[in-house]
Amino acid sequence: MIRNVKASDASAIVEIYNEYILNTTISFEMEPLSVEQMRRRIEDISAHCPYLVWEEDNEIAGYCYAHPWKERAAYHNTLETTIYLAPKYFHKGIGTKLMNRLIEDCRKMGFRVLIACITANNEVSIELHRRLGFKKVSHFEQVGEKLGQVLDVIDMQLTL
């Protein structure tokens, strides 16, 4: 089931996210987060933007949220999206359902544009966003380096 995030979800969310930090190039963060760091992030983001979790059998299977894309005031109607799932919940349609709800919540709140910043080798995320109507609008070459790889990043955009 999809619901709004709670600060008490921080432990489960940081467990999911730290696996991506430590073992993948999907997140460009390099150091795992503490539960308290994640709790602060959740509180900061959810105070102004949609932040959703998928809960199944009393377990957080995944989460997604939107946050300001850039700091300048002129970007106030544009948000960046983020989604992560626990690996055991891959390929069950959860990501699509979470993102569809996030898109709808952003639309209802009056936001105009969503941007997804994706590591270029993350074909699963690129395909998810493509199916949701996002279009590739940029490709930055060799802008990241993690786990011995030099990485490209693409931006995909959905106009609401």
Side-chain angles (χ1 to χ4, degrees):
M1 94 177 196
I2 298 173
R3 64 169 173 78
N4 290 321
V5 73
K6 299 181 284 194
S8 61
D9 296 325
S11 180
I13 289 172
V14 81
E15 185 175 333
I16 292 168
Y17 187 50
N18 281 343
E19 282 298 313
Y20 286 92
I21 291 172
L22 293 170
N23 300 308
T24 77
T25 58
I26 291 171
S27 169
F28 275 23
E29 291 203 62
M30 305 289 266
E31 298 296 325
L33 300 179
S34 70
V35 172
E36 186 53 38
Q37 287 172 307
M38 183 58 75
R39 183 176 288 110
R40 282 193 303 271
R41 287 185 185 188
I42 289 168
E43 289 170 351
D44 290 346
I45 293 166
S46 64
H48 307 286
C49 298
Y51 197 133
L52 307 168
V53 298
W54 182 283
E55 186 175 354
E56 191 160 310
D57 299 325
N58 296 315
E59 180 176 81
I60 303 299
Y63 65 97
C64 68
Y65 60 87
H67 61 92
W69 181 55
K70 300 253 185 199
E71 291 181 17
R72 303 287 187 260
Y75 295 117
H76 69 278
N77 281 321
T78 301
L79 299 177
E80 182 176 343
T81 63
T82 297
I83 181 167
Y84 289 98
L85 299 178
K88 76 180 199 179
Y89 293 101
F90 287 175
H91 309 296
K92 296 182 180 209
I94 293 170
T96 300
K97 291 173 185 170
L98 273 170
M99 284 298 296
N100 275 326
R101 169 75 178 276
L102 183 73
I103 291 165
E104 187 57 33
D105 286 359
C106 290
R107 185 177 282 122
K108 286 178 182 174
M109 292 176 76
F111 294 105
R112 186 173 300 123
V113 175
L114 300 178
I115 304 289
C117 181
I118 305 169
T119 309
N121 64 2
N122 187 351
E123 287 296 325
V124 171
S125 186
I126 292 168
E127 183 54 32
L128 168 67
H129 286 84
R130 190 176 293 130
R131 283 194 325 268
L132 293 167
F134 285 71
K135 293 182 177 28
K136 182 178 172 182
V137 293
S138 72
H139 188 127
F140 299 98
E141 296 178 347
Q142 301 181 21
V143 294
E145 189 171 344
K146 186 175 177 188
L147 300 177
Q149 298 178 55
V150 177
L151 301 161
D152 293 0
V153 170
I154 67 163
D155 285 332
M156 297 184 77
Q157 175 179 326
L158 178 67
T159 303
L160 300 177

